[in-house]
Amino acid sequence: MELLCFTRHCIKFMCKLLLFLLVLCLWIPREVVGRTGTTTISNSTDSYSRPSVLRIGALFTFNSVIGRSARPAIMAAIDDVNANTTILPGTKLEVILHDTNCSGFLGTVEALQLMENDVVVAIGPQSSGIAHIISHVVNELHVPLLSFGATDPSLSSLQHPYFIRTTQNDYFQMHAIADLVEYYRWSEVIAIFVDDDNGRNGVSALGDALAKKRAKISYKAAFTPGATKSDISDLLNGVNLMESRVYVLHVNPDSGLEIFSVAKKLGMMTSGYVWISSDWLPSVLDSLENVDTDSGVMNLLQGVITFRHHTPDTNLKKSFISRLKSLKDKDTKNFNSYALYAYDSVWLAAHALDVFLNEGGNTSFSSDPVLHNRNGSMLHLSSLRVSNGGQQFLQTILRTNFTGISGQIQFDMDKNLIHPAYDILNIGGFGSRRIGYWSNHSGLSVIAPEVLYQKPPNTSTSNQQLYSVIWPGETTKIPRGWVFPNNGKPLRIAVPNRVSYLEFVSKDKNPPGVKGYCIDVFEAAINLLPYPVPRQYILFGNGDTNPDYNDLAYQVSQNNFDAAIGDVTIVTNRTRILDFTQPFMESGLVVVVPVKRIKSSSWSFLQPFTAQMWCVTAAFFLFVGTVVWVLEHRHNTEFRGTPRQQITTVFCLFAHQCLAKFSSSFAGENTVSTLGRLVLIIWLFVVLIINSSYTASLTSILTVQQLSSQIEGIDSLTSGNQPIGIQEGSFAKKYLIDELNIAPSRIVTLKNPDAYIDALTRGPNNGGVLAIVDELPYVELFMSNTNCKFRTVGKEFTKSGWGFAFQRDSPLAIDLSTAILQLSENGDLQKIHDKWLLKQDCVVEFSDDESYKLSLSSFWVLFLIIGIACFIALTVFFIKVMCQYNKFNPDPDEEHGDDKVQVQPARFKRPMLTTSFRELMDFVDKREVDIKDILRRSKKRRRNQNSEDTLGEKTCS
């Protein structure tokens, strides 16, 4: 492509060079037409004085939309400059006008004749084609060329250093159009343009601008300058057969209305069409004498959006337009924006000349040694002379800064006017309505650019804003911007000709020739679209094997089909060449293995708990039994007796009471003490939960299905070297080889579900496969149809979905995505799924026994609670015992039944620390009834003793 573009530029340059040489050969010097006076220019460079008269040239087509506005403006500017005593004092400007007559050849001849008059600066031309050629001339003669009408973005400052554009560059206008296209979310446009330098280069800039917005020009409709009405009709007829309905019209002001006239007759100005015009259209409309009298013109333009050069609405501008309208010898009743730029171009030259002369600039001319007559040639090349101060004058122009009628006149580094801006107009009724502005400072906005220049730049998408538009057909609904091509060809839809899993998509004898889940989803989505979709289903595949889906995607990308409908998985390599809709079915690769029911072993009763859980439970049985024995030993006769009997109570009787007599224990029939009952109630609550959990876990273990292999997921499958089965035509093969590095020799292609069953049943040792890797929708249907004899292991190791595939940038993909979401929201998608795929659900069972075992982590809080309860009960019990023991001491002289206890007054009691451990244990082992009886007799004896002591004291006294 780069070589082709370079060749085209070379050919273009050679053609211009040949044209230039041809003009030189035919050029015969004659008197300059349109000279308004005589000038005297000193040819001597030795003695220089400020000139009294300076010539400037003007080159444009007088009888044109732009020329009729520009000529009065240029003459008015000359008069204003000469009347202004602060600009060029003592020097008068003289203008020389040349008419290009809308001809590239004549325009070039006129330009060469203009250069013969030693003009210090040239105003024009309005034609970009002539500007390309004349720019080479002014470059050689060092004469600045101020063009108020050549908007071609390819007129660069590097190639044409003496070309200065005093109007807006079409580069910015094309970016404004691209922003408008993005604002309304259109992806394709058709460019209609005149096949000249301005048209081609402007559309090229539009294509670059659209590419930055992820849009494009789908077709470039070019017609020759001066094309007949019949040629334009043929062009628009061809355009009307295409998909896009967004037309960008970039033509000349003098012939543009003819296109709308033809489009009106062809019915292309109705609802659904979008017409965007460049700034040529406002130039025509602004020049109309009266909109009401030109109602026929306005009827052609209803709903059109157009761009106009933005110029601030100042009093200076209003007074100038009013002044031009008052002229008697003008060729037009109204004036467009080019009149403002032409007026400011003259003032730009005047300001620059004033500064240039004040700085001692040289306005003289000298002969160019390169331009001289050879071999008796009659070309008179010596009449073309070089401006001696041209380079310095050029730099003066570029640094000039003033405010003109069109706004601020100042140039950036690329010699473009700063602050490019456009008004965006919507034509309707008998006039136009401004719906917003565009500037490179803030993009689309409803606020005037002068206001936004005071704020930081902001061209973000969220900041873009326009007023509502009345589109062709007098509708306010935004056109979608495309239709199906009106060429009699339906949409060619490829459908996989499957031999397995026919529930998803298959061949049908009845129209439309295909059926299945995917077809019903597509038809339901199509029915939700607000427009008809002519379509033709074409089976893809030989019908003997499942087709290669990667090949199917490639055929769509090569325009052999318009779309692919079916169980097409959205994967990376396909999204690079196709556009997919929103997924209508979730999918992903899973591993399938056979299952079998394993008989329970004789030790299955141990499986519900882990070893740690068994040990802790047994330990707490003993611990709680011991605590209850301690608490009940002094109160309950069942917890007394020989050591052997008491150990039996702890290990046997207590466990039996906890597990078999929960109700009676809870009622308190076997416990006497309050602390013992409290501990036992909490412990029985813990035992109840553990017992229930044990029962539930044991039930699950005894009924579980387990794998016949050791495969637990994709990781364990890839680590071996046994064969793996995949579905024929699936992308799984490429994924396993490229992404998981599985050897191709391990992969076995299987044709249908029967082959799945056979391969999995025989296993890897008998010519079968260890497992099958396939997409989840197929696997769910396969397991359901085989009575759940197979199951998946692990999780989905890819996440994707099924979608409808279209060619790149197809707008139908976006509309169908919206329709699929609507089907999902209203429940129709689920209804279609149930119609085709509602089968027996297989409950996924896990083979890992450890997943059923209950560990200590599930019950540690319960054990903590019972442990705290036992600790508190024991603490209260021993505090009570120690208080009793602090009051009593054994005495061999006093007996009570089988026990001998001597009560010693408090003042004779021995300290507790001196009591032997054996005595303490004997005290603890006594029954609570005996302790209370001794306590009672002790209190009575102390009371009697105190009475005797009192009586003896009285007797002594």
Side-chain angles (χ1 to χ4, degrees):
M1 289 298 295
E2 295 180 357
L3 179 59
L4 179 60
C5 294
F6 177 75
T7 304
R8 291 177 59 185
H9 283 295
C10 291
I11 295 174
K12 180 179 176 182
F13 177 75
M14 292 301 296
C15 292
K16 292 180 179 179
L17 182 60
L18 291 174
L19 177 61
F20 177 68
L21 294 176
L22 179 61
V23 170
L24 289 179
C25 294
L26 297 177
W27 174 42
I28 300 177
R30 58 185 174 88
E31 294 298 323
V32 177
V33 179
R35 183 175 298 180
T36 60
T38 60
T39 60
T40 57
I41 301 290
S42 175
N43 294 332
S44 173
T45 59
D46 297 333
S47 59
Y48 170 74
S49 60
R50 189 182 183 96
S52 60
V53 177
L54 289 175
R55 296 191 190 107
I56 65 174
L59 185 70
F60 55 92
T61 300
F62 295 168
N63 188 24
S64 65
V65 172
I66 296 178
R68 287 190 290 268
S69 292
R71 184 173 183 177
I74 291 175
M75 301 309 298
I78 293 294
D79 294 340
D80 291 346
V81 170
N82 290 332
N84 194 320
T85 58
T86 62
I87 299 295
L88 294 174
T91 301
K92 181 181 179 181
L93 284 184
E94 178 182 310
V95 64
I96 302 174
L97 303 176
H98 278 258
D99 188 1
T100 60
N101 293 307
C102 290
S103 171
F105 176 76
L106 294 179
T108 304
V109 173
E110 294 293 334
L112 292 173
Q113 292 178 351
L114 179 64
M115 293 297 105
E116 184 187 24
N117 292 276
D118 293 341
V119 293
V120 294
V121 65
I123 308 296
Q126 72 186 60
S127 170
S128 298
I130 298 176
H132 275 281
I133 300 176
I134 300 305
S135 294
H136 294 288
V137 178
V138 297
N139 289 347
E140 183 66 27
L141 301 181
H142 296 177
V143 177
L145 182 64
L146 307 181
S147 177
F148 60 87
T151 58
D152 182 359
S154 67
L155 286 165
S156 64
S157 58
L158 294 178
Q159 184 181 7
H160 309 293
Y162 281 85
F163 174 83
I164 302 175
R165 198 192 322 266
T166 57
T167 186
Q168 299 296 346
N169 190 337
D170 271 348
Y171 170 86
F172 300 107
Q173 181 175 203
M174 296 309 162
H175 276 74
I177 294 175
D179 283 348
L180 182 73
V181 171
E182 182 191 33
Y183 180 79
Y184 290 111
R185 298 182 180 180
W186 298 315
S187 59
E188 293 183 1
V189 303
I190 293 179
I192 304 174
F193 60 98
V194 180
D195 193 15
D196 58 11
D197 287 336
N198 185 60
R200 285 190 302 271
N201 296 326
V203 169
S204 178
L206 175 63
D208 295 340
L210 289 173
K212 296 179 181 179
K213 307 296 182 181
R214 297 183 63 84
K216 69 176 182 177
I217 300 176
S218 60
Y219 182 73
K220 296 181 180 180
F223 59 91
T224 59
T228 64
K229 194 170 185 178
S230 176
D231 294 335
I232 296 176
S233 179
D234 293 340
L235 179 71
L236 293 185
N237 270 316
V239 166
N240 199 30
L241 295 177
M242 297 181 182
E243 185 177 85
S244 178
R245 283 291 184 264
V246 182
Y247 304 133
V248 177
L249 194 56
H250 185 54
V251 296
N252 298 324
D254 300 282
S255 60
L257 291 179
E258 190 71 27
I259 297 175
F260 285 112
S261 177
V262 175
K264 182 79 172 179
K265 294 180 180 179
L266 296 177
M268 299 176 66
M269 300 298 298
T270 57
S271 178
Y273 289 87
V274 178
W275 288 88
I276 303 173
S277 169
S278 57
D279 58 7
W280 67 268
L281 183 55
S283 300
V284 175
L285 299 181
D286 292 344
S287 301
L288 295 177
E289 180 178 358
N290 192 333
V291 174
D292 294 334
T293 60
D294 293 288
S295 58
V297 173
M298 299 306 297
N299 287 335
L300 300 176
L301 306 174
Q302 297 299 302
V304 174
I305 295 180
T306 186
F307 289 77
R308 179 177 61 191
H309 297 129
H310 174 74
T311 54
D313 293 328
T314 61
N315 293 330
L316 180 63
K317 170 185 171 181
K318 295 177 182 178
S319 62
F320 174 70
I321 295 295
S322 177
R323 173 188 169 190
L324 291 181
K325 290 181 179 180
S326 65
L327 296 176
K328 296 182 179 181
D329 57 345
K330 61 183 183 296
D331 297 326
T332 182
K333 299 298 182 181
N334 290 307
F335 296 86
N336 53 43
S337 60
Y338 288 99
L340 309 180
Y341 290 116
Y343 182 86
D344 286 344
S345 297
V346 176
W347 272 98
L348 172 63
H351 280 290
L353 281 172
D354 186 49
V355 175
F356 177 67
L357 294 176
N358 290 337
E359 294 176 350
N362 187 357
T363 59
S364 64
F365 293 80
S366 60
S367 299
D368 188 348
V370 178
L371 300 176
H372 62 276
N373 299 324
R374 298 182 178 180
N375 300 326
S377 173
M378 300 298 293
L379 295 179
H380 299 284
L381 295 178
S382 59
S383 62
L384 298 177
R385 299 195 299 170
V386 179
S387 174
N388 294 323
Q391 179 63 33
Q392 181 184 353
F393 182 43
L394 174 65
Q395 299 304 319
T396 304
I397 293 175
L398 293 177
R399 70 172 185 267
T400 300
N401 183 6
F402 72 99
T403 301
I405 295 177
S406 62
Q408 187 176 1
I409 306 299
Q410 185 181 355
F411 299 96
D412 59 18
M413 297 298 296
D414 295 325
K415 297 198 297 187
N416 292 315
L417 289 176
I418 64 172
H419 300 322
Y422 291 87
D423 298 336
I424 306 177
L425 308 177
N426 179 212
I427 299 175
F430 294 103
S432 60
R433 179 175 62 95
R434 184 164 53 199
I435 60 173
Y437 306 88
W438 180 91
S439 68
N440 66 338
H441 184 82
S442 58
L444 303 175
S445 175
V446 296
I447 303 175
E450 292 77 22
V451 178
L452 297 176
Y453 291 150
Q454 311 301 323
K455 303 178 181 179
N458 185 0
T459 57
S460 64
T461 304
S462 60
N463 193 52
Q464 307 302 288
Q465 186 178 3
L466 290 175
Y467 291 123
S468 60
V469 176
I470 299 177
W471 304 97
E474 298 184 358
T475 177
T476 57
K477 182 180 179 181
I478 300 175
R480 66 175 180 271
W482 69 277
V483 294
F484 281 97
N486 189 20
N487 52 16
K489 296 181 179 179
L491 200 67
R492 299 164 301 168
I493 301 177
V495 178
N497 191 6
R498 295 190 57 88
V499 297
S500 62
Y501 298 111
L502 302 182
E503 292 87 347
F504 294 107
V505 61
S506 64
K507 182 180 179 180
D508 190 14
K509 296 180 180 180
N510 301 320
V514 289
K515 63 180 181 179
Y517 167 73
C518 300
I519 302 301
D520 281 5
V521 173
F522 179 72
E523 288 290 334
I526 287 293
N527 293 334
L528 292 178
L529 299 181
Y531 48 86
V533 181
R535 53 198 179 276
Q536 175 187 4
Y537 294 107
I538 304 172
L539 289 171
F540 180 81
N542 55 21
D544 296 328
T545 59
N546 289 331
D548 187 341
Y549 282 64
N550 287 330
D551 184 34
L552 174 60
Y554 177 77
Q555 294 298 326
V556 175
S557 68
Q558 295 301 305
N559 199 28
N560 294 325
F561 300 102
D562 296 313
I565 305 304
D567 49 341
V568 183
T569 306
I570 305 173
V571 293
T572 304
N573 64 318
R574 297 173 188 170
T575 57
R576 295 191 179 104
I577 58 177
L578 298 175
D579 281 349
F580 282 88
T581 63
Q582 171 82 13
F584 61 88
M585 169 74 85
E586 296 297 327
S587 181
L589 292 178
V590 293
V591 179
V592 184
V593 295
V595 296
K596 69 176 182 179
R597 188 178 299 275
I598 298 178
K599 295 181 179 180
S600 302
S601 68
S602 57
W603 296 96
S604 297
F605 67 92
L606 295 177
Q607 294 181 7
F609 288 162
T610 62
Q612 183 186 35
M613 181 65 184
W614 279 117
C615 294
V616 172
T617 303
F620 265 83
F621 264 101
L622 298 177
F623 173 69
V624 174
T626 303
V627 170
V628 173
W629 177 84
V630 171
L631 299 176
E632 290 291 317
H633 180 68
R634 305 183 70 191
H635 299 273
N636 198 334
T637 56
E638 293 183 6
F639 287 82
R640 302 186 67 85
T642 63
R644 181 177 179 181
Q645 292 176 338
Q646 297 184 42
I647 293 175
T648 302
T649 300
V650 172
F651 283 93
C652 299
L653 181 61
F654 181 74
H656 173 73
Q657 289 174 341
C658 289
L659 296 177
K661 297 183 179 181
F662 171 73
S663 58
S664 62
S665 297
F666 185 78
E669 296 178 2
N670 299 97
T671 55
V672 177
S673 66
T674 302
L675 294 176
R677 289 180 176 180
L678 176 63
V679 171
L680 189 59
I681 289 174
I682 297 175
W683 172 242
L684 291 178
F685 174 73
V686 173
V687 171
L688 176 63
I689 295 177
I690 294 176
N691 184 42
S692 300
S693 301
Y694 173 87
T695 303
S697 179
L698 182 60
T699 302
S700 299
I701 292 175
L702 294 178
T703 58
V704 69
Q705 288 181 333
Q706 298 186 350
L707 290 177
S708 60
S709 67
Q710 300 300 319
I711 299 301
E712 298 177 358
I714 187 62
D715 293 334
S716 58
L717 182 63
T718 56
S719 61
N721 56 5
Q722 293 176 310
I724 303 171
I726 64 167
Q727 184 182 170
E728 186 178 50
S730 173
F731 76 97
K733 180 176 181 180
K734 180 176 177 60
Y735 180 85
L736 294 177
I737 295 175
D738 296 345
E739 302 297 332
L740 301 182
N741 298 320
I742 295 178
S745 59
R746 293 184 58 193
I747 298 177
V748 178
T749 301
L750 302 175
K751 185 176 182 179
N752 50 42
D754 292 336
Y756 281 23
I757 298 173
D758 180 66
L760 289 173
T761 303
R762 287 190 288 121
N765 297 327
N766 297 316
V769 296
L770 178 64
I772 289 176
V773 174
D774 205 352
E775 294 182 68
L776 185 59
Y778 301 123
V779 171
E780 290 178 343
L781 191 59
F782 168 71
M783 292 192 302
S784 178
N785 291 335
T786 55
N787 296 323
C788 303
K789 294 180 180 179
F790 305 91
R791 54 152 295 184
T792 61
V793 290
K795 299 180 179 179
E796 296 179 56
F797 55 92
T798 64
K799 286 290 184 180
S800 59
W802 291 354
F804 303 133
F806 293 85
Q807 295 179 10
R808 294 301 298 270
D809 301 322
S810 173
L812 188 59
I814 300 176
D815 289 355
L816 277 179
S817 293
T818 304
I820 291 172
L821 290 176
Q822 187 175 348
L823 288 175
S824 177
E825 292 172 357
N826 61 24
D828 289 343
L829 191 62
Q830 185 61 42
K831 292 178 182 177
I832 299 173
H833 178 276
D834 295 343
K835 172 186 174 182
W836 289 96
L837 307 176
L838 185 59
K839 305 292 182 180
Q840 175 187 357
D841 293 332
C842 293
V843 179
V844 177
E845 304 287 356
F846 296 93
S847 62
D848 187 4
D849 293 340
E850 296 297 327
S851 62
Y852 290 94
K853 292 187 175 183
L854 301 174
S855 63
L856 180 62
S857 60
S858 302
F859 303 97
W860 69 270
V861 174
L862 294 175
F863 287 121
L864 178 63
I865 292 173
I866 188 62
I868 293 175
C870 292
F871 175 78
I872 294 174
L874 289 176
T875 302
V876 172
F877 173 77
F878 280 111
I879 290 175
K880 179 181 178 182
V881 170
M882 295 306 293
C883 290
Q884 291 177 342
Y885 182 70
N886 192 40
K887 296 178 181 180
F888 300 101
N889 223 350
D891 189 349
D893 296 334
E894 184 172 323
E895 295 182 356
H896 179 71
D898 297 333
D899 299 324
K900 296 180 180 180
V901 179
Q902 179 181 355
V903 180
Q904 185 176 350
R907 60 180 181 272
F908 298 111
K909 286 191 298 185
R910 291 175 296 177
M912 185 182 299
L913 296 178
T914 61
T915 305
S916 67
F917 180 75
R918 181 183 180 86
E919 293 175 344
L920 178 61
M921 291 297 99
D922 292 340
F923 178 79
V924 172
D925 189 52
K926 292 183 181 297
R927 292 184 303 170
E928 186 71 18
V929 176
D930 296 338
I931 296 297
K932 289 182 178 180
D933 182 63
I934 295 174
L935 177 61
R936 208 168 33 250
R937 289 188 290 106
S938 176
K939 287 183 179 180
K940 182 178 180 180
R941 188 176 61 253
R942 283 200 303 270
R943 192 164 48 249
N944 295 335
Q945 184 67 35
N946 291 335
S947 298
E948 293 177 358
D949 292 343
T950 303
L951 181 61
E953 289 177 358
K954 289 181 179 181
T955 304
C956 294
S957 60

